[in-house]
Amino acid sequence: MNPYILSTLLFGLGLGTTITFASSHWLLAWMALEMNTLAIIPLMAQHHHPRAVEATTKYFLTQATAAAMLLFASTTTAWLTAQWAIQQMTHPLPSTILILALSLKIGLAPVHSWLPEVLQGFDLTTGLILSTWQKLAPFALLLQMQPTGTTLLVILRLTSTLVGGWGGLNQTQLRNVLAYSSIAHLGWMVLVLQFSPTLALLALLTYITMTSSTFLTFNLNKSTNITSLAISWAKSPALTCLTPLILLSLGGLPPLTRFMPKWLILQDLTNQDLPCTATLAALTALLSLYFYLRLSYAMTLTMAPNNLIGTMPWRTPHSQLTLPLALFTMLTLLLLPLTPSALALLSP
């Protein structure tokens, strides 16, 4: 792709997300989300491959449906309450439609089925943008809405944690595994959204950090399925030693970074007299931990000739910048000692 066109598209992508952050009017937020979607479509379809074109078409149709629902709900709000402010959603009908529209945009269960199919059709770089940057704008609108304890929100958050853990168990493609991992993590964020928005934002930031580290690692090794993980030690032995720690951090094991938001979320749910919800969330986290352990086993304890690929890859030079990978890996593994600082920020 031409560098000038690429710069223009990336600028539009960042501008759409920034306008969403700054907007308090539903019409402006809808326009920014559309700008964001239209900017990423050419980035998705830049590889002229049938799978990429199919995934781009599915993504466009899904986002267009969510945008139409959002515009309809915001117009209904203006009709019923005579105001367009995001923070003043009082009528239950448009609030429910808006929550469904934003859930469809970020891929919360049970409106999640497009996410694994779309992510599987893209390369790992585009998948990284879709799994991290594209979650920011809809999640910012959810934070501004501050939805109350509706039955729909309870169904969304519990279903997402369950589907995200259950759906990734039998996957062999790494992008599908990361898609279901994204669904499960988003369920954890929505789980605590109405009680502590700051904690939900902390969980989102740690999720973006660890997902970026995982995608950059797989992109450096050119790994797209579990079988190819078994020969990644021949390409980068040091990174192969660190990758299981990154995956276990995604699973939430101490003393790694992701343990901090999960621990704080379970503690907050317990303080809100929701022990059953906290127990169910902790049990579904075990499902996610299983397929992270499965990837770790395939990467570190399976070596040739015990895998299906008999030839070892050459250690060819790679063009990927290693500084972002090193930075995200360090943040993924070493942020747990900052938990007291996070508690100080979360305290009112």
Side-chain angles (χ1 to χ4, degrees), residues 99 142 147-158 190 193-194:
I99 290 174
L142 279 175
T148 55
T150 60
T151 305
L152 174 64
L153 200 61
V154 174
I155 293 173
L156 285 174
R157 59 197 184 189
L158 292 179
V190 178
L193 182 63
Q194 64 180 358

Side-chain angles (χ1 to χ4, degrees), residues 3-268:
Y4 297 107
I5 297 177
L6 181 61
S7 301
T8 305
L9 292 175
L10 292 177
F11 175 75
L13 194 64
L15 183 63
T17 305
T18 307
I19 293 176
T20 307
F21 289 164
S23 61
S24 59
H25 193 282
W26 274 117
L27 201 57
L28 185 62
W30 171 80
M31 183 192 69
L33 289 174
E34 287 301 287
M35 186 187 305
N36 200 349
T37 302
L38 293 177
I40 200 175
I41 291 295
L43 294 175
M44 293 176 169
Q46 62 177 323
H47 302 291
H48 302 291
H49 190 275
R51 289 296 299 272
V53 174
E54 178 189 353
T56 305
T57 306
K58 289 179 180 178
Y59 180 78
F60 174 75
L61 293 176
T62 304
Q63 298 301 306
T65 303
M69 291 174 61
L70 192 145
L71 185 60
F72 170 73
S74 57
T75 308
T76 306
T77 302
W79 177 45
L80 293 173
T81 63
Q83 52 88 22
W84 289 84
I86 297 176
Q87 293 88 354
Q88 298 177 6
M89 297 297 299
T90 55
H91 200 279
L93 176 61
S95 298
T96 302
I97 299 175
L98 282 167
I99 290 174
L100 277 176
L102 294 174
S103 301
L104 181 61
K105 271 194 168 292
I106 61 178
L108 278 175
V111 286
H112 70 285
S113 55
W114 64 272
L115 184 58
E117 295 292 328
V118 166
L119 201 60
Q120 180 60 29
F122 298 138
D123 60 341
L124 289 169
T125 305
T126 310
L128 170 61
I129 299 174
L130 180 61
S131 299
T132 55
W133 185 263
Q134 290 301 97
K135 309 289 185 187
L136 292 176
F139 199 81
L141 293 178
L142 279 175
L143 281 174
Q144 289 188 63
M145 284 180 62
Q146 292 186 355
T148 55
T150 60
T151 305
L152 174 64
L153 200 61
V154 174
I155 293 173
L156 285 174
R157 59 197 184 189
L158 292 179
T159 308
S160 296
T161 55
L162 183 60
V163 169
W166 196 266
L169 292 179
N170 61 343
Q171 302 296 327
T172 58
Q173 299 293 321
L174 296 180
R175 284 164 290 187
N176 279 341
V177 171
L178 291 173
Y180 283 106
S181 169
S182 173
I183 294 167
H185 283 93
L186 287 171
W188 278 84
M189 297 170 209
V190 178
L191 203 61
V192 77
L193 182 63
Q194 64 180 358
F195 307 121
S196 177
T198 313
L199 182 53
L201 184 60
L202 174 66
L204 176 65
L205 293 178
T206 54
Y207 158 76
I208 288 175
T209 301
M210 290 177 296
T211 304
S212 301
S213 178
T214 308
F215 268 100
L216 291 174
T217 300
F218 292 157
N219 192 31
L220 185 68
N221 290 330
K222 300 295 186 292
S223 300
T224 56
N225 52 48
I226 293 182
T227 306
S228 60
L229 286 178
I231 55 173
S232 59
W233 61 271
K235 301 177 183 179
S236 50
L239 186 59
T240 305
C241 296
L242 291 175
T243 305
L245 296 178
I246 298 173
L247 294 171
L248 294 179
S249 181
L250 272 171
L253 284 186
L256 303 171
T257 300
R258 186 62 186 175
F259 176 69
M260 172 176 58
K262 286 194 173 182
W263 169 35
L264 295 177
I265 288 172
L266 291 177
Q267 184 181 21
D268 194 84

